[in-house]
Amino acid sequence: MQPEGYDLIGDIHGHAEPLRGLLRRLGYRYRDGRFAHPTRQAIFLGDFIDRGPEQRGVLEVVRPMVMDGAALAVMGNHELNALAFHTPDPAAHGEHLRRRSAKNIDQHRAFLDEHEHPEVLDAALEWFWDLPLWLDLGELRVVHAAWDTPALNRITDRVAPGNRLTQPLLEAASRPGTAEQNAVENLLKGIEAELPAGHGFSDKDGHHRRYIRLKWWRYPQGETWRSMFLGPPGVAAKLPEAPLPPDVETGYPDTAPPVFVGHYWMVGEPTPQAANVACLDYSVARDGGRLVAYRWDGEQVLRDDKFDWVERR
Ligand SMILES: [Mn+2]
């Protein structure tokens, strides 16, 4: 059955309580062990895990919805990282495709604590493997961080049916400097550029960064580091007002179908980033954050009044 509309839902990060609240608010009812809407379908933008208090609780809501067709979902960078973290590296005995450094373990701690039983872990990972890297529904597009057409073209013949990761693609995407890594990271982590020498900033976790996330839907011509920066205004103010290097390739045509992304820890009133681009990640994992949805009914120009949300309490 073709749904009458889609409810796109941003990054959840282990916060099952706001998720259940948002689904109820959007008219989804809990019956026979899952939420469903009589006429609409949910689309989750990825990043189900890490950080929050109910890692299994979130998967217990979203997994049955996707399996029963009440929802669609794409993979977030946290699910990608989890797959690499738990996949042995065939080229290095005893290692995994994502290094088990103190920082990487720390970032994955909440998930690890709730997935000590191998069957529980395997069931979660099996579901992550099934998540598409992007969804193209024709009049609507969904990806976790950036709709990067060159990146999509580079891996489109490497993915399994349904735009799914394969073992060889995950392995290639875990090797620094490969075309596969660049493509998968652009889609799931956003398009970044290295700041000129002498520039850097501290991110929300206190890590020093030399790369900034770019407003990937804008074309770089006439823009500056500051105007292309995607992140907190306090950081933007410190960035150079110089043009970007000529090798930066960004831009999303304003005539192309709307794209929904998560990933960027936005603050303030939810609003579209462009007429056909909306980010729905409003940092539910942060105190005072929101879990945000967009109720899409076919419009090609996105609107402020179609956003809805619950506050985290
Ligand atoms: Mn993310």
Side-chain angles (χ1 to χ4, degrees):
M1 182 198 74
Q2 185 71 14
E4 283 174 16
Y6 293 108
D7 298 314
L8 297 114
I9 297 176
D11 307 29
I12 304 163
H13 282 306
H15 288 273
E17 192 50 51
L19 172 60
R20 289 184 282 257
L22 181 64
L23 287 169
R24 288 204 175 89
R25 189 178 162 81
L26 296 172
Y28 290 71
R29 294 287 166 259
Y30 191 77
R31 243 180 50 196
D32 303 329
R34 60 152 172 81
F35 284 92
H37 194 286
T39 59
R40 301 176 66 83
Q41 197 173 26
I43 303 182
F44 296 108
L45 302 181
D47 276 6
F48 303 99
I49 60 161
D50 294 335
R51 301 187 192 276
E54 287 188 77
Q55 300 288 311
R56 287 169 66 169
V58 167
L59 296 181
E60 282 160 13
V61 172
V62 298
R63 211 159 35 181
M65 289 182 74
V66 172
M67 283 171 176
D68 289 358
L72 302 169
V74 293
M75 184 183 292
N77 57 304
H78 283 258
E79 289 77 46
L80 175 74
N81 287 348
L83 288 173
F85 187 98
H86 295 283
T87 301
D89 183 346
H93 184 73
E95 304 284 318
H96 292 79
L97 291 178
R98 181 169 168 84
R99 214 159 62 82
R100 297 193 164 186
S101 63
K103 179 186 163 199
N104 289 347
I105 291 173
D106 200 46
Q107 208 176 78
H108 200 35
R109 175 74 66 200
F111 178 87
L112 292 172
D113 286 348
E114 289 191 43
H115 291 79
E116 287 176 343
H117 295 288
E119 325 83 87
V120 177
L121 176 62
D122 287 348
L125 296 174
E126 198 181 317
W127 188 69
F128 298 166
W129 278 110
D130 250 2
L131 291 168
L133 298 176
W134 70 90
L135 279 175
D136 192 344
L137 303 179
E139 50 182 356
L140 172 70
R141 293 168 167 178
V142 180
V143 67
H144 183 64
W147 192 275
D148 180 357
T149 305
L152 287 171
N153 290 339
R154 257 179 282 146
I155 56 165
T156 199
D157 57 355
R158 301 287 310 276
V159 293
N163 306 334
R164 292 183 171 91
L165 266 183
T166 63
Q167 193 90 22
L169 181 57
L170 178 65
E171 194 185 327
S174 302
R175 309 273 180 234
T178 62
E180 290 88 345
Q181 189 199 40
N182 180 265
V184 172
E185 293 216 332
N186 279 10
L187 299 175
L188 269 59
K189 302 182 183 179
I191 302 181
E192 301 191 341
E194 187 176 14
L195 286 165
H199 289 275
F201 67 97
S202 284
D203 72 9
K204 66 183 185 315
D205 296 319
H207 298 128
H208 184 73
R209 301 268 174 185
R210 294 219 57 251
Y211 285 78
I212 64 162
R213 292 167 166 180
L214 298 174
K215 292 174 179 165
W216 53 265
W217 55 91
R218 289 199 192 178
Y219 292 87
Q221 292 74 26
E223 302 279 357
T224 66
W225 288 99
R226 195 180 294 182
S227 68
M228 280 293 272
F229 173 70
L230 182 51
V235 173
K238 293 178 197 146
L239 297 178
E241 286 254 64
L244 288 105
D247 63 338
V248 168
E249 283 187 13
T250 56
Y252 186 73
D254 55 13
T255 51
V259 181
F260 288 92
V261 298
H263 189 60
Y264 294 106
W265 290 70
M266 310 297 280
V267 293
E269 284 301 291
T271 184
Q273 271 54 58
N276 58 351
V277 178
C279 172
L280 303 182
D281 177 24
Y282 282 76
S283 330
V284 71
R286 165 163 42 210
D287 268 343
R290 295 163 171 172
L291 184 63
V292 172
Y294 185 97
R295 301 170 126 159
W296 189 75
D297 297 290
E299 67 273 16
Q300 297 295 295
V301 174
L302 304 179
R303 295 176 5 206
D304 281 353
D305 65 338
K306 305 293 294 275
F307 289 82
D308 202 351
W309 58 82
V310 294
E311 313 266 341
R312 177 176 150 207
R313 283 183 296 181

mmCIF file of all heavy atoms in Angstrom, residues 126-158:
data_model
loop_
_atom_site.group_PDB
_atom_site.id
_atom_site.type_symbol
_atom_site.label_atom_id
_atom_site.label_comp_id
_atom_site.label_asym_id
_atom_site.label_seq_id
_atom_site.Cartn_x
_atom_site.Cartn_y
_atom_site.Cartn_z
ATOM 1 N N GLU A 126 23.093 -7.642 12.462
ATOM 2 C CA GLU A 126 22.436 -8.174 11.266
ATOM 3 C C GLU A 126 21.457 -7.140 10.692
ATOM 4 O O GLU A 126 21.352 -6.951 9.478
ATOM 5 C CB GLU A 126 21.698 -9.453 11.647
ATOM 6 C CG GLU A 126 21.333 -10.329 10.477
ATOM 7 C CD GLU A 126 20.585 -11.577 10.950
ATOM 8 O OE1 GLU A 126 20.995 -12.181 11.973
ATOM 9 O OE2 GLU A 126 19.591 -11.921 10.311
ATOM 10 N N TRP A 127 20.773 -6.459 11.595
ATOM 11 C CA TRP A 127 19.828 -5.426 11.143
ATOM 12 C C TRP A 127 20.582 -4.230 10.565
ATOM 13 O O TRP A 127 20.157 -3.649 9.564
ATOM 14 C CB TRP A 127 18.914 -5.009 12.307
ATOM 15 C CG TRP A 127 17.812 -4.112 11.842
ATOM 16 C CD1 TRP A 127 16.751 -4.463 11.048
ATOM 17 C CD2 TRP A 127 17.680 -2.714 12.120
ATOM 18 N NE1 TRP A 127 15.972 -3.355 10.812
ATOM 19 C CE2 TRP A 127 16.503 -2.273 11.461
ATOM 20 C CE3 TRP A 127 18.421 -1.802 12.859
ATOM 21 C CZ2 TRP A 127 16.066 -0.951 11.519
ATOM 22 C CZ3 TRP A 127 17.979 -0.489 12.923
ATOM 23 C CH2 TRP A 127 16.815 -0.059 12.263
ATOM 24 N N PHE A 128 21.719 -3.873 11.145
ATOM 25 C CA PHE A 128 22.501 -2.744 10.601
ATOM 26 C C PHE A 128 22.953 -3.047 9.162
ATOM 27 O O PHE A 128 22.931 -2.163 8.307
ATOM 28 C CB PHE A 128 23.733 -2.435 11.461
ATOM 29 C CG PHE A 128 23.434 -2.010 12.871
ATOM 30 C CD1 PHE A 128 24.441 -1.983 13.846
ATOM 31 C CD2 PHE A 128 22.157 -1.610 13.253
ATOM 32 C CE1 PHE A 128 24.175 -1.582 15.143
ATOM 33 C CE2 PHE A 128 21.884 -1.213 14.562
ATOM 34 C CZ PHE A 128 22.902 -1.209 15.502
ATOM 35 N N TRP A 129 23.392 -4.296 8.927
ATOM 36 C CA TRP A 129 23.814 -4.677 7.572
ATOM 37 C C TRP A 129 22.696 -4.445 6.556
ATOM 38 O O TRP A 129 22.962 -4.190 5.386
ATOM 39 C CB TRP A 129 24.222 -6.154 7.526
ATOM 40 C CG TRP A 129 25.609 -6.440 7.992
ATOM 41 C CD1 TRP A 129 25.967 -7.093 9.146
ATOM 42 C CD2 TRP A 129 26.848 -6.122 7.329
ATOM 43 N NE1 TRP A 129 27.336 -7.173 9.231
ATOM 44 C CE2 TRP A 129 27.899 -6.595 8.134
ATOM 45 C CE3 TRP A 129 27.167 -5.481 6.132
ATOM 46 C CZ2 TRP A 129 29.238 -6.449 7.795
ATOM 47 C CZ3 TRP A 129 28.504 -5.323 5.776
ATOM 48 C CH2 TRP A 129 29.521 -5.806 6.608
ATOM 49 N N ASP A 130 21.478 -4.594 7.007
ATOM 50 C CA ASP A 130 20.306 -4.473 6.132
ATOM 51 C C ASP A 130 19.921 -3.032 5.806
ATOM 52 O O ASP A 130 19.097 -2.804 4.924
ATOM 53 C CB ASP A 130 19.108 -5.128 6.836
ATOM 54 C CG ASP A 130 18.696 -6.406 6.151
ATOM 55 O OD1 ASP A 130 19.372 -6.783 5.179
ATOM 56 O OD2 ASP A 130 17.693 -7.004 6.581
ATOM 57 N N LEU A 131 20.496 -2.077 6.537
ATOM 58 C CA LEU A 131 20.067 -0.686 6.348
ATOM 59 C C LEU A 131 20.654 -0.121 5.053
ATOM 60 O O LEU A 131 21.864 -0.213 4.829
ATOM 61 C CB LEU A 131 20.544 0.174 7.526
ATOM 62 C CG LEU A 131 19.869 -0.090 8.859
ATOM 63 C CD1 LEU A 131 20.629 0.612 9.995
ATOM 64 C CD2 LEU A 131 18.416 0.384 8.836
ATOM 65 N N PRO A 132 19.824 0.476 4.191
ATOM 66 C CA PRO A 132 20.370 1.098 2.982
ATOM 67 C C PRO A 132 21.263 2.290 3.324
ATOM 68 O O PRO A 132 21.040 2.965 4.333
ATOM 69 C CB PRO A 132 19.132 1.558 2.212
ATOM 70 C CG PRO A 132 17.967 1.358 3.098
ATOM 71 C CD PRO A 132 18.377 0.570 4.302
ATOM 72 N N LEU A 133 22.248 2.550 2.458
ATOM 73 C CA LEU A 133 23.109 3.727 2.651
ATOM 74 C C LEU A 133 22.384 5.000 2.229
ATOM 75 O O LEU A 133 22.722 6.086 2.687
ATOM 76 C CB LEU A 133 24.404 3.576 1.860
ATOM 77 C CG LEU A 133 25.286 2.387 2.268
ATOM 78 C CD1 LEU A 133 26.489 2.276 1.346
ATOM 79 C CD2 LEU A 133 25.747 2.530 3.724
ATOM 80 N N TRP A 134 21.442 4.866 1.325
ATOM 81 C CA TRP A 134 20.593 5.992 0.939
ATOM 82 C C TRP A 134 19.298 5.441 0.364
ATOM 83 O O TRP A 134 19.225 4.266 -0.010
ATOM 84 C CB TRP A 134 21.293 6.903 -0.077
ATOM 85 C CG TRP A 134 21.480 6.308 -1.440
ATOM 86 C CD1 TRP A 134 20.604 6.391 -2.496
ATOM 87 C CD2 TRP A 134 22.584 5.521 -1.905
ATOM 88 N NE1 TRP A 134 21.107 5.713 -3.576
ATOM 89 C CE2 TRP A 134 22.324 5.175 -3.248
ATOM 90 C CE3 TRP A 134 23.776 5.083 -1.318
ATOM 91 C CZ2 TRP A 134 23.200 4.408 -4.015
ATOM 92 C CZ3 TRP A 134 24.652 4.317 -2.086
ATOM 93 C CH2 TRP A 134 24.365 3.985 -3.415
ATOM 94 N N LEU A 135 18.276 6.299 0.324
ATOM 95 C CA LEU A 135 16.984 5.945 -0.254
ATOM 96 C C LEU A 135 16.628 6.994 -1.292
ATOM 97 O O LEU A 135 16.644 8.191 -0.990
ATOM 98 C CB LEU A 135 15.883 5.982 0.811
ATOM 99 C CG LEU A 135 15.699 4.813 1.750
ATOM 100 C CD1 LEU A 135 14.620 5.173 2.774
ATOM 101 C CD2 LEU A 135 15.300 3.557 0.992
ATOM 102 N N ASP A 136 16.331 6.545 -2.502
ATOM 103 C CA ASP A 136 15.848 7.462 -3.523
ATOM 104 C C ASP A 136 14.434 7.034 -3.888
ATOM 105 O O ASP A 136 14.239 6.040 -4.577
ATOM 106 C CB ASP A 136 16.766 7.422 -4.751
ATOM 107 C CG ASP A 136 16.456 8.567 -5.704
ATOM 108 O OD1 ASP A 136 15.370 9.184 -5.568
ATOM 109 O OD2 ASP A 136 17.293 8.839 -6.579
ATOM 110 N N LEU A 137 13.454 7.790 -3.368
ATOM 111 C CA LEU A 137 12.052 7.439 -3.605
ATOM 112 C C LEU A 137 11.479 8.221 -4.776
ATOM 113 O O LEU A 137 10.269 8.321 -4.928
ATOM 114 C CB LEU A 137 11.225 7.676 -2.332
ATOM 115 C CG LEU A 137 11.703 6.936 -1.082
ATOM 116 C CD1 LEU A 137 10.832 7.273 0.124
ATOM 117 C CD2 LEU A 137 11.724 5.425 -1.306
ATOM 118 N N GLY A 138 12.358 8.784 -5.594
ATOM 119 C CA GLY A 138 11.899 9.529 -6.758
ATOM 120 C C GLY A 138 11.622 10.981 -6.429
ATOM 121 O O GLY A 138 12.437 11.860 -6.695
ATOM 122 N N GLU A 139 10.496 11.236 -5.766
ATOM 123 C CA GLU A 139 10.134 12.614 -5.411
ATOM 124 C C GLU A 139 10.727 13.028 -4.066
ATOM 125 O O GLU A 139 10.469 14.137 -3.580
ATOM 126 C CB GLU A 139 8.610 12.754 -5.396
ATOM 127 C CG GLU A 139 7.968 11.662 -4.576
ATOM 128 C CD GLU A 139 6.446 11.702 -4.553
ATOM 129 O OE1 GLU A 139 5.865 12.643 -5.119
ATOM 130 O OE2 GLU A 139 5.868 10.802 -3.942
ATOM 131 N N LEU A 140 11.533 12.156 -3.480
ATOM 132 C CA LEU A 140 12.047 12.364 -2.135
ATOM 133 C C LEU A 140 13.332 11.559 -1.951
ATOM 134 O O LEU A 140 13.402 10.407 -2.392
ATOM 135 C CB LEU A 140 10.981 11.866 -1.145
ATOM 136 C CG LEU A 140 11.320 11.801 0.328
ATOM 137 C CD1 LEU A 140 11.436 13.223 0.870
ATOM 138 C CD2 LEU A 140 10.224 11.060 1.072
ATOM 139 N N ARG A 141 14.345 12.154 -1.320
ATOM 140 C CA ARG A 141 15.621 11.480 -1.125
ATOM 141 C C ARG A 141 16.030 11.522 0.342
ATOM 142 O O ARG A 141 15.771 12.522 1.021
ATOM 143 C CB ARG A 141 16.707 12.141 -1.984
ATOM 144 C CG ARG A 141 16.469 11.943 -3.458
ATOM 145 C CD ARG A 141 17.354 12.812 -4.304
ATOM 146 N NE ARG A 141 17.308 12.380 -5.702
ATOM 147 C CZ ARG A 141 17.960 12.971 -6.689
ATOM 148 N NH1 ARG A 141 18.722 14.025 -6.447
ATOM 149 N NH2 ARG A 141 17.856 12.515 -7.910
ATOM 150 N N VAL A 142 16.679 10.468 0.789
ATOM 151 C CA VAL A 142 17.039 10.350 2.201
ATOM 152 C C VAL A 142 18.448 9.770 2.320
ATOM 153 O O VAL A 142 18.761 8.757 1.693
ATOM 154 C CB VAL A 142 16.049 9.406 2.940
ATOM 155 C CG1 VAL A 142 16.417 9.293 4.401
ATOM 156 C CG2 VAL A 142 14.609 9.896 2.790
ATOM 157 N N VAL A 143 19.289 10.441 3.102
ATOM 158 C CA VAL A 143 20.635 9.944 3.379
ATOM 159 C C VAL A 143 21.027 10.508 4.740
ATOM 160 O O VAL A 143 20.498 11.541 5.157
ATOM 161 C CB VAL A 143 21.607 10.371 2.256
ATOM 162 C CG1 VAL A 143 21.833 11.882 2.225
ATOM 163 C CG2 VAL A 143 22.940 9.627 2.346
ATOM 164 N N HIS A 144 21.947 9.848 5.455
ATOM 165 C CA HIS A 144 22.214 10.317 6.814
ATOM 166 C C HIS A 144 22.839 11.709 6.858
ATOM 167 O O HIS A 144 22.486 12.530 7.698
ATOM 168 C CB HIS A 144 23.087 9.327 7.581
ATOM 169 C CG HIS A 144 23.327 9.750 9.002
ATOM 170 N ND1 HIS A 144 22.298 9.856 9.917
ATOM 171 C CD2 HIS A 144 24.448 10.144 9.652
ATOM 172 C CE1 HIS A 144 22.784 10.276 11.073
ATOM 173 N NE2 HIS A 144 24.090 10.463 10.942
ATOM 174 N N ALA A 145 23.808 12.000 5.970
ATOM 175 C CA ALA A 145 24.515 13.290 6.125
ATOM 176 C C ALA A 145 24.557 14.152 4.866
ATOM 177 O O ALA A 145 24.385 15.364 4.959
ATOM 178 C CB ALA A 145 25.939 13.056 6.638
ATOM 179 N N ALA A 146 24.852 13.589 3.690
ATOM 180 C CA ALA A 146 24.989 14.447 2.510
ATOM 181 C C ALA A 146 24.596 13.690 1.245
ATOM 182 O O ALA A 146 25.088 12.580 1.015
ATOM 183 C CB ALA A 146 26.425 14.960 2.368
ATOM 184 N N TRP A 147 23.738 14.312 0.439
ATOM 185 C CA TRP A 147 23.399 13.733 -0.868
ATOM 186 C C TRP A 147 24.472 14.205 -1.830
ATOM 187 O O TRP A 147 24.371 15.261 -2.453
ATOM 188 C CB TRP A 147 22.012 14.162 -1.323
ATOM 189 C CG TRP A 147 21.577 13.336 -2.495
ATOM 190 C CD1 TRP A 147 21.872 13.563 -3.809
ATOM 191 C CD2 TRP A 147 20.806 12.133 -2.460
ATOM 192 N NE1 TRP A 147 21.339 12.561 -4.588
ATOM 193 C CE2 TRP A 147 20.679 11.672 -3.784
ATOM 194 C CE3 TRP A 147 20.221 11.371 -1.415
ATOM 195 C CZ2 TRP A 147 19.979 10.506 -4.105
ATOM 196 C CZ3 TRP A 147 19.529 10.222 -1.745
ATOM 197 C CH2 TRP A 147 19.413 9.803 -3.076
ATOM 198 N N ASP A 148 25.537 13.397 -1.933
ATOM 199 C CA ASP A 148 26.709 13.745 -2.724
ATOM 200 C C ASP A 148 26.665 12.880 -3.991
ATOM 201 O O ASP A 148 27.043 11.716 -3.962
ATOM 202 C CB ASP A 148 27.963 13.454 -1.887
ATOM 203 C CG ASP A 148 29.255 13.784 -2.623
ATOM 204 O OD1 ASP A 148 29.195 14.178 -3.800
ATOM 205 O OD2 ASP A 148 30.324 13.631 -2.009
ATOM 206 N N THR A 149 26.186 13.473 -5.084
ATOM 207 C CA THR A 149 25.967 12.687 -6.300
ATOM 208 C C THR A 149 27.245 12.016 -6.811
ATOM 209 O O THR A 149 27.209 10.823 -7.153
ATOM 210 C CB THR A 149 25.304 13.559 -7.384
ATOM 211 O OG1 THR A 149 24.111 14.113 -6.811
ATOM 212 C CG2 THR A 149 24.925 12.755 -8.606
ATOM 213 N N PRO A 150 28.403 12.704 -6.876
ATOM 214 C CA PRO A 150 29.624 11.992 -7.299
ATOM 215 C C PRO A 150 29.957 10.799 -6.391
ATOM 216 O O PRO A 150 30.377 9.740 -6.871
ATOM 217 C CB PRO A 150 30.722 13.067 -7.206
ATOM 218 C CG PRO A 150 30.001 14.373 -7.300
ATOM 219 C CD PRO A 150 28.648 14.147 -6.684
ATOM 220 N N ALA A 151 29.752 10.944 -5.095
ATOM 221 C CA ALA A 151 30.019 9.834 -4.161
ATOM 222 C C ALA A 151 29.060 8.671 -4.424
ATOM 223 O O ALA A 151 29.471 7.505 -4.447
ATOM 224 C CB ALA A 151 29.901 10.311 -2.713
ATOM 225 N N LEU A 152 27.791 8.992 -4.627
ATOM 226 C CA LEU A 152 26.806 7.941 -4.942
ATOM 227 C C LEU A 152 27.210 7.204 -6.217
ATOM 228 O O LEU A 152 27.173 5.969 -6.270
ATOM 229 C CB LEU A 152 25.424 8.568 -5.167
ATOM 230 C CG LEU A 152 24.705 9.078 -3.939
ATOM 231 C CD1 LEU A 152 23.467 9.867 -4.336
ATOM 232 C CD2 LEU A 152 24.307 7.922 -3.063
ATOM 233 N N ASN A 153 27.624 7.963 -7.233
ATOM 234 C CA ASN A 153 27.995 7.332 -8.494
ATOM 235 C C ASN A 153 29.204 6.423 -8.336
ATOM 236 O O ASN A 153 29.304 5.394 -9.006
ATOM 237 C CB ASN A 153 28.285 8.404 -9.556
ATOM 238 C CG ASN A 153 27.008 9.121 -9.974
ATOM 239 O OD1 ASN A 153 25.900 8.597 -9.784
ATOM 240 N ND2 ASN A 153 27.148 10.317 -10.517
ATOM 241 N N ARG A 154 30.128 6.803 -7.441
ATOM 242 C CA ARG A 154 31.347 6.014 -7.266
ATOM 243 C C ARG A 154 31.084 4.647 -6.644
ATOM 244 O O ARG A 154 31.831 3.709 -6.875
ATOM 245 C CB ARG A 154 32.359 6.778 -6.400
ATOM 246 C CG ARG A 154 33.493 7.404 -7.223
ATOM 247 C CD ARG A 154 34.448 8.150 -6.331
ATOM 248 N NE ARG A 154 33.883 9.429 -5.960
ATOM 249 C CZ ARG A 154 34.060 10.027 -4.788
ATOM 250 N NH1 ARG A 154 34.773 9.472 -3.849
ATOM 251 N NH2 ARG A 154 33.508 11.193 -4.553
ATOM 252 N N ILE A 155 30.053 4.536 -5.807
ATOM 253 C CA ILE A 155 29.840 3.237 -5.147
ATOM 254 C C ILE A 155 28.552 2.542 -5.578
ATOM 255 O O ILE A 155 28.245 1.463 -5.089
ATOM 256 C CB ILE A 155 29.851 3.353 -3.601
ATOM 257 C CG1 ILE A 155 28.823 4.349 -3.106
ATOM 258 C CG2 ILE A 155 31.237 3.681 -3.094
ATOM 259 C CD1 ILE A 155 28.565 4.219 -1.614
ATOM 260 N N THR A 156 27.852 3.127 -6.539
ATOM 261 C CA THR A 156 26.540 2.573 -6.856
ATOM 262 C C THR A 156 26.636 1.155 -7.436
ATOM 263 O O THR A 156 25.733 0.339 -7.235
ATOM 264 C CB THR A 156 25.746 3.546 -7.755
ATOM 265 O OG1 THR A 156 24.381 3.230 -7.692
ATOM 266 C CG2 THR A 156 26.234 3.527 -9.193
ATOM 267 N N ASP A 157 27.770 0.834 -8.098
ATOM 268 C CA ASP A 157 27.916 -0.549 -8.587
ATOM 269 C C ASP A 157 28.648 -1.437 -7.582
ATOM 270 O O ASP A 157 28.962 -2.583 -7.873
ATOM 271 C CB ASP A 157 28.610 -0.577 -9.956
ATOM 272 C CG ASP A 157 29.972 0.095 -9.927
ATOM 273 O OD1 ASP A 157 30.326 0.668 -8.869
ATOM 274 O OD2 ASP A 157 30.682 0.037 -10.945
ATOM 275 N N ARG A 158 28.942 -0.906 -6.391
ATOM 276 C CA ARG A 158 29.597 -1.700 -5.338
ATOM 277 C C ARG A 158 28.628 -2.133 -4.246
ATOM 278 O O ARG A 158 28.968 -2.970 -3.411
ATOM 279 C CB ARG A 158 30.730 -0.886 -4.680
ATOM 280 C CG ARG A 158 31.827 -0.415 -5.636
ATOM 281 C CD ARG A 158 32.718 -1.565 -6.073
ATOM 282 N NE ARG A 158 33.196 -2.352 -4.949
ATOM 283 C CZ ARG A 158 34.262 -2.031 -4.210
ATOM 284 N NH1 ARG A 158 34.970 -0.964 -4.484
ATOM 285 N NH2 ARG A 158 34.623 -2.801 -3.201
#
